[in-house]
Amino acid sequence: MDYVEYTAPKHVRHLVESYWISTLHPDDFEQDYDFIIPDGSTDVIFMLNGNYLRDDVKKNKKHLVEYCSLVPAFSKAVKVYQKPYTKCLGMRFNPGAIQQLTGISLQELNEAGYPLEQVMPELADLAMDEALKNTPAPKIIEKINAWLSSQVKVPRQNHIISAFISEVVKNQGSVTVKTFCDSFGMHKSTLEKNFKHATGLTPKQYANLIRFNYLLNKLMFSGESLTQTGYDLGYFDQSHMIKDFKKVIGITPKDFLEKKFTVPKLAALSISNKKQHFGS
């Protein structure tokens, strides 16, 4: 698998955390399916080459992703069925960005994914027109950045939400909502209402997902034992860590590592860059 992540330029950083490009190769496929890992973000996915099936467990059906989709934040890993040489360009939006661009609260988006042309038709047309012309992905990103600059002239950021995310990322997900709210003299319900409006998740759900992504990163790249990994991330014991892992992905860490999934590496790699976007 080829994976490259690009930090958004300063003039659109209030909207986009980062871009990423991934290409799957024949030797990436150990299983007939893989997992997309939730990271607390809302993403737009542009299919530059190929397509994939996304398994919607709740509705017991699969969605064919052929062109471009808006994928709201979700809390459990989803199965995907892809083919070799599938190439995607992704945009990872910052909290509140979709509101600024569309007027839609993420709390209202309760489907697994939406055709982008229904939500942001100009962006869908721009990116897919360039993809059909075989424009290199970095050039498509430049055009997207220019379009974003024309849409939102005055950045609107909720500093409380930004502060909470920064604290969560800095502490690898080990943050209690009550402690954070007490430090700001704020009622817990105020943070929860604003956070869900901007991200579609509760603050606790977001913190749990960030910790899960750090756990995934350590499991895949650190070489540490499960015991040491759990200790590093503040789990009470190994069984607690395994329970949290299964809650998100449905299998144990041991089973996950034995199956040698490929796509979760994107999430495991991207969490390493979170601190440069949000951490202090």
Side-chain angles (χ1 to χ4, degrees):
M1 177 186 66
D2 296 327
Y3 175 78
V4 183
E5 188 165 313
Y6 298 84
T7 299
K10 188 175 181 180
H11 63 283
V12 298
R13 212 169 289 164
H14 57 292
L15 298 170
V16 178
E17 176 189 326
S18 60
Y19 296 91
W20 51 266
I21 301 166
S22 68
T23 306
L24 297 174
H25 298 289
D27 57 357
D28 291 329
F29 294 84
E30 298 279 343
Q31 310 295 327
D32 62 348
Y33 67 94
D34 217 317
F35 285 107
I36 293 180
I37 303 297
D39 65 357
S41 302
T42 293
D43 288 55
V44 163
I45 310 295
F46 303 104
M47 301 304 300
L48 302 182
N49 181 27
N51 56 57
Y52 68 89
L53 281 173
R54 177 174 174 170
D55 201 354
D56 185 347
V57 177
K58 284 184 180 179
K59 297 189 176 180
N60 194 28
K61 65 179 182 179
K62 294 181 174 65
H63 300 283
L64 181 64
V65 180
E66 295 183 276
Y67 302 109
C68 45
S69 297
L70 177 76
V71 182
F74 53 104
S75 58
K76 291 188 177 181
V78 293
K79 286 183 179 179
V80 291
Y81 303 82
Q82 302 190 87
K83 297 178 181 179
Y85 305 112
T86 298
K87 186 172 185 177
C88 301
L89 165 62
M91 297 174 66
R92 191 171 292 121
F93 282 98
N94 282 325
I98 298 299
Q99 291 169 272
Q100 292 185 63
L101 290 165
T102 68
I104 298 171
S105 165
L106 285 179
Q107 194 169 358
E108 300 169 17
L109 302 182
N110 52 17
E111 296 292 328
Y114 296 82
L116 186 62
E117 60 267 25
Q118 293 181 6
V119 185
M120 288 186 275
E122 284 185 64
L123 177 58
D125 287 346
L126 181 158
M128 295 317 298
D129 283 350
E130 296 299 327
L132 290 171
K133 292 188 287 188
N134 292 317
T135 302
K139 289 291 183 184
I140 298 177
I141 291 173
E142 288 180 13
K143 290 180 179 291
I144 291 173
N145 286 330
W147 179 82
L148 288 171
S149 296
S150 72
Q151 300 303 300
V152 180
K153 298 299 183 185
V154 182
R156 295 198 311 271
Q157 288 183 296
N158 186 314
H159 295 294
I160 294 296
I161 291 176
S162 297
F164 180 76
I165 290 176
S166 178
E167 193 71 9
V168 169
V169 171
K170 182 174 68 175
N171 290 283
Q172 301 182 102
S174 296
V175 171
T176 63
V177 177
K178 183 181 185 305
T179 301
F180 175 84
C181 290
D182 287 348
S183 69
F184 277 85
M186 174 177 51
H187 199 278
K188 182 180 172 184
S189 62
T190 301
L191 176 65
E192 289 178 341
K193 179 181 177 181
N194 283 277
F195 202 86
K196 188 136 193 194
H197 190 55
T199 69
L201 299 170
T202 66
K204 184 176 180 180
Q205 284 177 318
Y206 183 83
N208 287 343
L209 288 178
I210 293 298
R211 182 154 78 157
F212 176 83
N213 276 263
Y214 274 108
L215 169 57
L216 190 67
N217 182 282
K218 285 181 175 292
L219 287 175
M220 298 187 84
F221 300 126
S222 74
E224 291 181 353
S225 67
L226 285 178
T227 302
Q228 184 61 45
T229 295
Y231 177 78
D232 290 345
L233 291 173
Y235 284 99
F236 299 122
D237 51 47
Q238 189 170 311
S239 63
H240 180 208
M241 180 187 70
I242 292 172
K243 182 180 177 182
D244 274 9
F245 192 92
K246 285 185 70 175
K247 192 183 295 183
V248 175
I249 207 166
I251 57 178
T252 66
K254 183 180 177 183
D255 289 342
F256 173 82
L257 291 172
E258 286 177 351
K259 290 182 181 293
K260 298 181 180 177
F261 293 112
T262 295
V263 176
K265 289 179 182 176
L266 275 67
L269 287 165
S270 68
I271 196 66
S272 302
N273 296 324
K274 280 282 185 186
K275 284 189 179 179
Q276 77 183 53
H277 304 302
F278 297 113
S280 55

